[in-house]
Amino acid sequence: MRNLVKNKAASQGKKKAGAFSYALYWLGAFSFNIWLAWALLSSGSRGFLGDTIAGGLHAFLGHTAYLFPFILLYGLIAILANVNKPHKGALTLTGGILLILGSLAAIIGLLSSRFGPEHFDGGWLGYFLEQTLSRMFGGVGAGLFAAVLFFAGVQLLFKVSWRKVFKAIASTAADDYRNWLSAKRELNARLKIASDKERSGEAYEAKPIPEPPPMVIDRGGKPEPAPAAKPEPAPEPKVVRAAAEAAAAPKPQKSAPAKPQQADSDKDKLSDPYFKDFKLPDSALLEPPSKQSAVVGPDDNEINAARVQLETTFKSFAVDVHVSGVYPGPVITRYEVTPAPGVKISSIVSLSNDVALAMKSAGAIRVIAPIPGKSAIGFEIPNNTRAKVCLRELLESSEFNAARSPLTFALGRYAEGKVAVANLESMPHLLVAGATASGKSVFMQSLILSLMFRNKPDEVKFLFIDPKRLELTFYEDIPYLYDPKETPDRVSVITDPKDAAKSLVAMTRVMEKRYKKFEKARVKNITSYNKWALENGQPQEYYIVIVIDELADLMLQTRNVVEDAIQRLAQMARAVGIHLVLATQRPSVDVITGVIKANLPSRVALQVTSKTDSRVILDSPGAEALIGKGDLLYLAIDAQKPSRIQGAFVGEEEIRKVADFVKAQARPNYQPLAEDEEAAGTGKGSSSEEMLAALRLVLERRRVSQDLLKAHFGSSARATNILSILEMNGFIHKPEGSNRWEIFFDKIESHLNSHQSQQPQENEPATEEFSRNE
């Protein structure tokens, strides 16, 4: 036990002695290096030892002697700081020191031989190395070899990663260059803003007050300003432009699905031979785009000025944001604003009116918060100069010509300038709504012309309904016209609401007839049926596009018939190639009912007067912030949020040229829906038992109404259908401005008597029994 205590005390004594000696080593090393540096640098009295050591070092190393104390101090620190596990051995440190001092002395010796010893002194070591290296490698080779020795010594002594050094230098230089460019752009933008304000007579420019540095309170309660952090420069915003395509692009080629080659006789059987030599209209009939620059939207100086103004406006309200992306378009430019961490979206969106005031916007600013798929908020600001989007440039674009569907049409250009196209076949129906003079009718014209430029009259036909009698009358007598209740020589653009209701009811008959035909062929849609017809030598079916330019007027006069027919067509007509395009300037809930909205998921909203109208069309606000003249929001069937698009402009002269071109080649030609075929296919014609029963009921009750027919036939849709049939055959009539049916009893009695005289004798008891039951 005593031995253990003695050993422990001895070990503690050794530890204390080791620590004391370690401190003496540190103190002696620092003191010697400080004294040595003083002896080399001082010009006064240094003592005998100091003069001897300084003179010897100067004579041996020359001017390199001034570096010797500092390198020696680094070597001593490296050894003393890592006594147990030194990262460098004494031999490595000594070699590195000798290489650095020798190479520097040699370089100074080379300089002294060139410029004289009065300016450069390399000492005895420098003279020796300079003479040796010069004899071996020459003057230039001696300098290069001495530099190599210097870098080798630095690598041995400090273990420098030259790759990281070069990378840091390059990164610093690149950052400095980018900061210089950013500062130059910002200065130019501020100078432009200042010059604009001077021209407009603004004598005072409000500047944002810089925030004071944050205060840090120590434990004693004394406030001290925190050191200001060096602000990192905001990254440059990404400007994404859509290059305008050349106006002299090749004319669009027909992009319908390719069909296998067949003999001429087979082609005549499969398609209408009347349109065999029909030629599609050329894009040269349309107005060429105006000669503009190759970029879409404002130039770089305007974008930089707007970006600076936008960021300055937010900073004046103490909202820290930066513009991360710019997307110039023909009418508006979208600035993507990225908020700093901790900034609420609501604080940015609430400043939209202040931003519009600061930017001197020509119209309302639409805010997208946030942009789908991005951590940014979009501000769509109208351009000072508005570019016109022509239909010709869209029809000649690669996006339009690359589409393979026959019902592809041109929408316009997106907010960022790219060409926007859509496929009516996949929509499958389209609802267009907007206020007066918003560009709704022009959008409809561009849709119609796009389909005419891609398809022949035996591939696509139009049923035009225009109660306003102004917009669609340009297309009178074109070969694309279609009306199932009229013969081709009498077909025209429908302007009477009652005729429109009859045509829509007849379109439901066409739909049912096609469904029966597709059922026999065992196919699911019109594309599959046309392939089957091609293989079996049967005539193909054409697409039918029903265009209604003003739905509100139809709903006002023939609401029940029109709404029921539109509902049936919207629900079922897609598969048989019948598509609806409905337009209205009164987007209210009594016109765009829930039934219509549920079956028309694809919608186009132009400028409206209130957020309520925008919600009726798109189920969300935004259309009230549009600036009119074709500026629209397009909500696709599979999109979460609508896309902003500038629609194409089509003038009246362009429409007349295209209409005259197609009218000069052919007239309307199709197989109308026959009356006997209608009755046989539906069981609801003028000679059907169902209509005869309805006539007997009306004659007995001396009145007619939907409720009366519904009570006897058991279905509201069935009752509406019977009412439309009775009106089409002239048995009843509803005068304009009245809600009561006018019944022609004499015509009903004569029709019933003539039909009863044509029935065989064996059917008379059944008729009497039916009358007794009624």
Side-chain angles (χ1 to χ4, degrees), residues 488-514:
D489 57 334
R490 298 179 55 188
V491 66
S492 63
V493 177
I494 302 172
T495 57
D496 184 71
K498 294 182 179 179
D499 292 338
K502 296 177 183 178
S503 297
L504 290 175
V505 172
M507 283 303 306
T508 62
R509 310 282 188 270
V510 175
M511 177 187 69
E512 293 170 357
K513 177 185 174 183
R514 286 192 174 187

PDB file of all heavy atoms in Angstrom, residues 488-514:
ATOM      1  N   PRO A 488     -79.637  19.728 -97.742  1.00  0.00           N
ATOM      2  CA  PRO A 488     -78.446  20.547 -98.021  1.00  0.00           C
ATOM      3  C   PRO A 488     -78.727  21.819 -98.815  1.00  0.00           C
ATOM      4  O   PRO A 488     -78.027  22.815 -98.643  1.00  0.00           O
ATOM      5  CB  PRO A 488     -77.548  19.593 -98.816  1.00  0.00           C
ATOM      6  CG  PRO A 488     -77.977  18.227 -98.403  1.00  0.00           C
ATOM      7  CD  PRO A 488     -79.441  18.324 -98.167  1.00  0.00           C
ATOM      8  N   ASP A 489     -79.756  21.820 -99.679  1.00  0.00           N
ATOM      9  CA  ASP A 489     -80.044  23.017-100.460  1.00  0.00           C
ATOM     10  C   ASP A 489     -80.751  24.091 -99.647  1.00  0.00           C
ATOM     11  O   ASP A 489     -80.861  25.237-100.095  1.00  0.00           O
ATOM     12  CB  ASP A 489     -80.872  22.652-101.689  1.00  0.00           C
ATOM     13  CG  ASP A 489     -82.174  21.943-101.307  1.00  0.00           C
ATOM     14  OD1 ASP A 489     -82.206  21.309-100.231  1.00  0.00           O
ATOM     15  OD2 ASP A 489     -83.139  22.032-102.084  1.00  0.00           O
ATOM     16  N   ARG A 490     -81.254  23.743 -98.446  1.00  0.00           N
ATOM     17  CA  ARG A 490     -81.960  24.711 -97.608  1.00  0.00           C
ATOM     18  C   ARG A 490     -81.229  25.015 -96.305  1.00  0.00           C
ATOM     19  O   ARG A 490     -81.718  25.808 -95.502  1.00  0.00           O
ATOM     20  CB  ARG A 490     -83.358  24.176 -97.272  1.00  0.00           C
ATOM     21  CG  ARG A 490     -84.245  23.951 -98.485  1.00  0.00           C
ATOM     22  CD  ARG A 490     -85.598  23.412 -98.055  1.00  0.00           C
ATOM     23  NE  ARG A 490     -86.234  24.279 -97.077  1.00  0.00           N
ATOM     24  CZ  ARG A 490     -87.356  23.972 -96.412  1.00  0.00           C
ATOM     25  NH1 ARG A 490     -87.948  22.815 -96.639  1.00  0.00           N
ATOM     26  NH2 ARG A 490     -87.875  24.811 -95.552  1.00  0.00           N
ATOM     27  N   VAL A 491     -80.060  24.423 -96.093  1.00  0.00           N
ATOM     28  CA  VAL A 491     -79.353  24.615 -94.835  1.00  0.00           C
ATOM     29  C   VAL A 491     -78.793  26.034 -94.772  1.00  0.00           C
ATOM     30  O   VAL A 491     -78.419  26.619 -95.785  1.00  0.00           O
ATOM     31  CB  VAL A 491     -78.218  23.576 -94.693  1.00  0.00           C
ATOM     32  CG1 VAL A 491     -77.135  23.793 -95.726  1.00  0.00           C
ATOM     33  CG2 VAL A 491     -77.626  23.620 -93.286  1.00  0.00           C
ATOM     34  N   SER A 492     -78.740  26.578 -93.557  1.00  0.00           N
ATOM     35  CA  SER A 492     -78.241  27.943 -93.345  1.00  0.00           C
ATOM     36  C   SER A 492     -77.843  28.085 -91.886  1.00  0.00           C
ATOM     37  O   SER A 492     -78.052  27.176 -91.065  1.00  0.00           O
ATOM     38  CB  SER A 492     -79.297  28.988 -93.723  1.00  0.00           C
ATOM     39  OG  SER A 492     -80.429  28.850 -92.871  1.00  0.00           O
ATOM     40  N   VAL A 493     -77.274  29.226 -91.568  1.00  0.00           N
ATOM     41  CA  VAL A 493     -76.967  29.546 -90.169  1.00  0.00           C
ATOM     42  C   VAL A 493     -78.284  29.832 -89.457  1.00  0.00           C
ATOM     43  O   VAL A 493     -79.074  30.680 -89.887  1.00  0.00           O
ATOM     44  CB  VAL A 493     -76.021  30.754 -90.082  1.00  0.00           C
ATOM     45  CG1 VAL A 493     -75.766  31.127 -88.626  1.00  0.00           C
ATOM     46  CG2 VAL A 493     -74.719  30.457 -90.796  1.00  0.00           C
ATOM     47  N   ILE A 494     -78.537  29.133 -88.352  1.00  0.00           N
ATOM     48  CA  ILE A 494     -79.822  29.231 -87.643  1.00  0.00           C
ATOM     49  C   ILE A 494     -79.811  30.483 -86.783  1.00  0.00           C
ATOM     50  O   ILE A 494     -78.919  30.677 -85.950  1.00  0.00           O
ATOM     51  CB  ILE A 494     -80.056  27.982 -86.786  1.00  0.00           C
ATOM     52  CG1 ILE A 494     -80.038  26.735 -87.673  1.00  0.00           C
ATOM     53  CG2 ILE A 494     -81.361  28.088 -86.023  1.00  0.00           C
ATOM     54  CD1 ILE A 494     -80.064  25.444 -86.890  1.00  0.00           C
ATOM     55  N   THR A 495     -80.811  31.329 -86.970  1.00  0.00           N
ATOM     56  CA  THR A 495     -80.927  32.566 -86.203  1.00  0.00           C
ATOM     57  C   THR A 495     -82.191  32.616 -85.357  1.00  0.00           C
ATOM     58  O   THR A 495     -82.276  33.446 -84.446  1.00  0.00           O
ATOM     59  CB  THR A 495     -80.903  33.787 -87.147  1.00  0.00           C
ATOM     60  OG1 THR A 495     -81.957  33.649 -88.108  1.00  0.00           O
ATOM     61  CG2 THR A 495     -79.565  33.871 -87.866  1.00  0.00           C
ATOM     62  N   ASP A 496     -83.167  31.776 -85.618  1.00  0.00           N
ATOM     63  CA  ASP A 496     -84.412  31.779 -84.845  1.00  0.00           C
ATOM     64  C   ASP A 496     -84.285  30.794 -83.675  1.00  0.00           C
ATOM     65  O   ASP A 496     -83.891  29.638 -83.875  1.00  0.00           O
ATOM     66  CB  ASP A 496     -85.589  31.380 -85.737  1.00  0.00           C
ATOM     67  CG  ASP A 496     -86.909  31.473 -84.990  1.00  0.00           C
ATOM     68  OD1 ASP A 496     -87.349  32.600 -84.721  1.00  0.00           O
ATOM     69  OD2 ASP A 496     -87.478  30.406 -84.656  1.00  0.00           O
ATOM     70  N   PRO A 497     -84.591  31.213 -82.455  1.00  0.00           N
ATOM     71  CA  PRO A 497     -84.445  30.321 -81.294  1.00  0.00           C
ATOM     72  C   PRO A 497     -85.295  29.057 -81.392  1.00  0.00           C
ATOM     73  O   PRO A 497     -84.859  27.990 -80.942  1.00  0.00           O
ATOM     74  CB  PRO A 497     -84.878  31.198 -80.111  1.00  0.00           C
ATOM     75  CG  PRO A 497     -84.644  32.595 -80.567  1.00  0.00           C
ATOM     76  CD  PRO A 497     -84.936  32.591 -82.035  1.00  0.00           C
ATOM     77  N   LYS A 498     -86.473  29.149 -81.981  1.00  0.00           N
ATOM     78  CA  LYS A 498     -87.323  27.960 -82.075  1.00  0.00           C
ATOM     79  C   LYS A 498     -86.744  26.963 -83.082  1.00  0.00           C
ATOM     80  O   LYS A 498     -86.766  25.747 -82.842  1.00  0.00           O
ATOM     81  CB  LYS A 498     -88.737  28.370 -82.485  1.00  0.00           C
ATOM     82  CG  LYS A 498     -89.431  29.199 -81.411  1.00  0.00           C
ATOM     83  CD  LYS A 498     -90.831  29.560 -81.808  1.00  0.00           C
ATOM     84  CE  LYS A 498     -91.498  30.371 -80.701  1.00  0.00           C
ATOM     85  NZ  LYS A 498     -92.877  30.768 -81.065  1.00  0.00           N
ATOM     86  N   ASP A 499     -86.218  27.475 -84.205  1.00  0.00           N
ATOM     87  CA  ASP A 499     -85.549  26.576 -85.135  1.00  0.00           C
ATOM     88  C   ASP A 499     -84.307  25.955 -84.504  1.00  0.00           C
ATOM     89  O   ASP A 499     -83.971  24.795 -84.765  1.00  0.00           O
ATOM     90  CB  ASP A 499     -85.155  27.345 -86.399  1.00  0.00           C
ATOM     91  CG  ASP A 499     -86.365  27.768 -87.217  1.00  0.00           C
ATOM     92  OD1 ASP A 499     -87.431  27.145 -87.057  1.00  0.00           O
ATOM     93  OD2 ASP A 499     -86.248  28.728 -88.004  1.00  0.00           O
ATOM     94  N   ALA A 500     -83.623  26.740 -83.665  1.00  0.00           N
ATOM     95  CA  ALA A 500     -82.444  26.204 -82.976  1.00  0.00           C
ATOM     96  C   ALA A 500     -82.826  25.063 -82.050  1.00  0.00           C
ATOM     97  O   ALA A 500     -82.128  24.035 -81.975  1.00  0.00           O
ATOM     98  CB  ALA A 500     -81.749  27.315 -82.198  1.00  0.00           C
ATOM     99  N   ALA A 501     -83.944  25.212 -81.332  1.00  0.00           N
ATOM    100  CA  ALA A 501     -84.395  24.141 -80.440  1.00  0.00           C
ATOM    101  C   ALA A 501     -84.740  22.882 -81.239  1.00  0.00           C
ATOM    102  O   ALA A 501     -84.405  21.762 -80.828  1.00  0.00           O
ATOM    103  CB  ALA A 501     -85.604  24.619 -79.635  1.00  0.00           C
ATOM    104  N   LYS A 502     -85.384  23.066 -82.385  1.00  0.00           N
ATOM    105  CA  LYS A 502     -85.724  21.900 -83.210  1.00  0.00           C
ATOM    106  C   LYS A 502     -84.460  21.213 -83.736  1.00  0.00           C
ATOM    107  O   LYS A 502     -84.382  19.978 -83.776  1.00  0.00           O
ATOM    108  CB  LYS A 502     -86.608  22.340 -84.379  1.00  0.00           C
ATOM    109  CG  LYS A 502     -87.965  22.894 -83.964  1.00  0.00           C
ATOM    110  CD  LYS A 502     -88.748  23.383 -85.172  1.00  0.00           C
ATOM    111  CE  LYS A 502     -90.072  23.998 -84.754  1.00  0.00           C
ATOM    112  NZ  LYS A 502     -90.842  24.520 -85.905  1.00  0.00           N
ATOM    113  N   SER A 503     -83.479  22.007 -84.124  1.00  0.00           N
ATOM    114  CA  SER A 503     -82.240  21.408 -84.634  1.00  0.00           C
ATOM    115  C   SER A 503     -81.491  20.664 -83.537  1.00  0.00           C
ATOM    116  O   SER A 503     -80.906  19.592 -83.776  1.00  0.00           O
ATOM    117  CB  SER A 503     -81.341  22.506 -85.232  1.00  0.00           C
ATOM    118  OG  SER A 503     -81.956  23.112 -86.338  1.00  0.00           O
ATOM    119  N   LEU A 504     -81.487  21.194 -82.309  1.00  0.00           N
ATOM    120  CA  LEU A 504     -80.812  20.502 -81.208  1.00  0.00           C
ATOM    121  C   LEU A 504     -81.516  19.189 -80.875  1.00  0.00           C
ATOM    122  O   LEU A 504     -80.863  18.175 -80.579  1.00  0.00           O
ATOM    123  CB  LEU A 504     -80.757  21.415 -79.982  1.00  0.00           C
ATOM    124  CG  LEU A 504     -79.825  22.627 -80.084  1.00  0.00           C
ATOM    125  CD1 LEU A 504     -79.960  23.513 -78.857  1.00  0.00           C
ATOM    126  CD2 LEU A 504     -78.382  22.179 -80.247  1.00  0.00           C
ATOM    127  N   VAL A 505     -82.858  19.192 -80.935  1.00  0.00           N
ATOM    128  CA  VAL A 505     -83.597  17.942 -80.711  1.00  0.00           C
ATOM    129  C   VAL A 505     -83.285  16.948 -81.825  1.00  0.00           C
ATOM    130  O   VAL A 505     -83.107  15.744 -81.580  1.00  0.00           O
ATOM    131  CB  VAL A 505     -85.112  18.226 -80.626  1.00  0.00           C
ATOM    132  CG1 VAL A 505     -85.897  16.927 -80.581  1.00  0.00           C
ATOM    133  CG2 VAL A 505     -85.422  19.058 -79.391  1.00  0.00           C
ATOM    134  N   ALA A 506     -83.189  17.448 -83.063  1.00  0.00           N
ATOM    135  CA  ALA A 506     -82.832  16.561 -84.170  1.00  0.00           C
ATOM    136  C   ALA A 506     -81.417  16.015 -84.024  1.00  0.00           C
ATOM    137  O   ALA A 506     -81.134  14.876 -84.429  1.00  0.00           O
ATOM    138  CB  ALA A 506     -82.983  17.311 -85.497  1.00  0.00           C
ATOM    139  N   MET A 507     -80.528  16.789 -83.426  1.00  0.00           N
ATOM    140  CA  MET A 507     -79.165  16.305 -83.205  1.00  0.00           C
ATOM    141  C   MET A 507     -79.152  15.138 -82.216  1.00  0.00           C
ATOM    142  O   MET A 507     -78.307  14.234 -82.322  1.00  0.00           O
ATOM    143  CB  MET A 507     -78.274  17.425 -82.688  1.00  0.00           C
ATOM    144  CG  MET A 507     -77.813  18.411 -83.739  1.00  0.00           C
ATOM    145  SD  MET A 507     -76.927  17.651 -85.120  1.00  0.00           S
ATOM    146  CE  MET A 507     -75.660  16.760 -84.278  1.00  0.00           C
ATOM    147  N   THR A 508     -80.069  15.138 -81.265  1.00  0.00           N
ATOM    148  CA  THR A 508     -80.164  13.974 -80.377  1.00  0.00           C
ATOM    149  C   THR A 508     -80.578  12.726 -81.152  1.00  0.00           C
ATOM    150  O   THR A 508     -80.149  11.614 -80.826  1.00  0.00           O
ATOM    151  CB  THR A 508     -81.155  14.255 -79.244  1.00  0.00           C
ATOM    152  OG1 THR A 508     -82.466  14.493 -79.795  1.00  0.00           O
ATOM    153  CG2 THR A 508     -80.729  15.453 -78.417  1.00  0.00           C
ATOM    154  N   ARG A 509     -81.418  12.886 -82.197  1.00  0.00           N
ATOM    155  CA  ARG A 509     -81.776  11.752 -83.047  1.00  0.00           C
ATOM    156  C   ARG A 509     -80.542  11.243 -83.811  1.00  0.00           C
ATOM    157  O   ARG A 509     -80.342  10.028 -83.937  1.00  0.00           O
ATOM    158  CB  ARG A 509     -82.839  12.162 -84.066  1.00  0.00           C
ATOM    159  CG  ARG A 509     -84.026  12.887 -83.493  1.00  0.00           C
ATOM    160  CD  ARG A 509     -84.994  11.927 -82.824  1.00  0.00           C
ATOM    161  NE  ARG A 509     -86.194  12.629 -82.452  1.00  0.00           N
ATOM    162  CZ  ARG A 509     -86.379  13.239 -81.272  1.00  0.00           C
ATOM    163  NH1 ARG A 509     -85.415  13.221 -80.369  1.00  0.00           N
ATOM    164  NH2 ARG A 509     -87.517  13.849 -80.997  1.00  0.00           N
ATOM    165  N   VAL A 510     -79.736  12.184 -84.307  1.00  0.00           N
ATOM    166  CA  VAL A 510     -78.517  11.786 -85.013  1.00  0.00           C
ATOM    167  C   VAL A 510     -77.589  11.028 -84.062  1.00  0.00           C
ATOM    168  O   VAL A 510     -76.979  10.023 -84.440  1.00  0.00           O
ATOM    169  CB  VAL A 510     -77.820  13.029 -85.603  1.00  0.00           C
ATOM    170  CG1 VAL A 510     -76.488  12.652 -86.234  1.00  0.00           C
ATOM    171  CG2 VAL A 510     -78.712  13.714 -86.619  1.00  0.00           C
ATOM    172  N   MET A 511     -77.507  11.499 -82.847  1.00  0.00           N
ATOM    173  CA  MET A 511     -76.668  10.828 -81.854  1.00  0.00           C
ATOM    174  C   MET A 511     -77.156   9.404 -81.598  1.00  0.00           C
ATOM    175  O   MET A 511     -76.361   8.448 -81.587  1.00  0.00           O
ATOM    176  CB  MET A 511     -76.663  11.638 -80.554  1.00  0.00           C
ATOM    177  CG  MET A 511     -75.888  11.014 -79.419  1.00  0.00           C
ATOM    178  SD  MET A 511     -76.084  11.929 -77.871  1.00  0.00           S
ATOM    179  CE  MET A 511     -77.807  11.568 -77.505  1.00  0.00           C
ATOM    180  N   GLU A 512     -78.446   9.237 -81.422  1.00  0.00           N
ATOM    181  CA  GLU A 512     -78.990   7.898 -81.159  1.00  0.00           C
ATOM    182  C   GLU A 512     -78.814   6.981 -82.373  1.00  0.00           C
ATOM    183  O   GLU A 512     -78.521   5.787 -82.221  1.00  0.00           O
ATOM    184  CB  GLU A 512     -80.462   8.023 -80.792  1.00  0.00           C
ATOM    185  CG  GLU A 512     -80.682   8.723 -79.459  1.00  0.00           C
ATOM    186  CD  GLU A 512     -82.144   9.048 -79.240  1.00  0.00           C
ATOM    187  OE1 GLU A 512     -82.951   8.771 -80.163  1.00  0.00           O
ATOM    188  OE2 GLU A 512     -82.480   9.573 -78.175  1.00  0.00           O
ATOM    189  N   LYS A 513     -78.978   7.541 -83.557  1.00  0.00           N
ATOM    190  CA  LYS A 513     -78.787   6.742 -84.772  1.00  0.00           C
ATOM    191  C   LYS A 513     -77.347   6.249 -84.882  1.00  0.00           C
ATOM    192  O   LYS A 513     -77.081   5.091 -85.222  1.00  0.00           O
ATOM    193  CB  LYS A 513     -79.172   7.580 -85.987  1.00  0.00           C
ATOM    194  CG  LYS A 513     -78.958   6.875 -87.315  1.00  0.00           C
ATOM    195  CD  LYS A 513     -79.252   7.820 -88.472  1.00  0.00           C
ATOM    196  CE  LYS A 513     -78.909   7.167 -89.808  1.00  0.00           C
ATOM    197  NZ  LYS A 513     -79.121   8.098 -90.938  1.00  0.00           N
ATOM    198  N   ARG A 514     -76.386   7.138 -84.557  1.00  0.00           N
ATOM    199  CA  ARG A 514     -74.976   6.740 -84.618  1.00  0.00           C
ATOM    200  C   ARG A 514     -74.657   5.693 -83.558  1.00  0.00           C
ATOM    201  O   ARG A 514     -73.862   4.781 -83.803  1.00  0.00           O
ATOM    202  CB  ARG A 514     -74.078   7.962 -84.440  1.00  0.00           C
ATOM    203  CG  ARG A 514     -74.027   8.873 -85.655  1.00  0.00           C
ATOM    204  CD  ARG A 514     -72.912   9.896 -85.532  1.00  0.00           C
ATOM    205  NE  ARG A 514     -72.755  10.679 -86.755  1.00  0.00           N
ATOM    206  CZ  ARG A 514     -71.767  11.555 -86.962  1.00  0.00           C
ATOM    207  NH1 ARG A 514     -70.856  11.756 -86.017  1.00  0.00           N
ATOM    208  NH2 ARG A 514     -71.689  12.219 -88.091  1.00  0.00           N
TER     209      ARG A 514
END
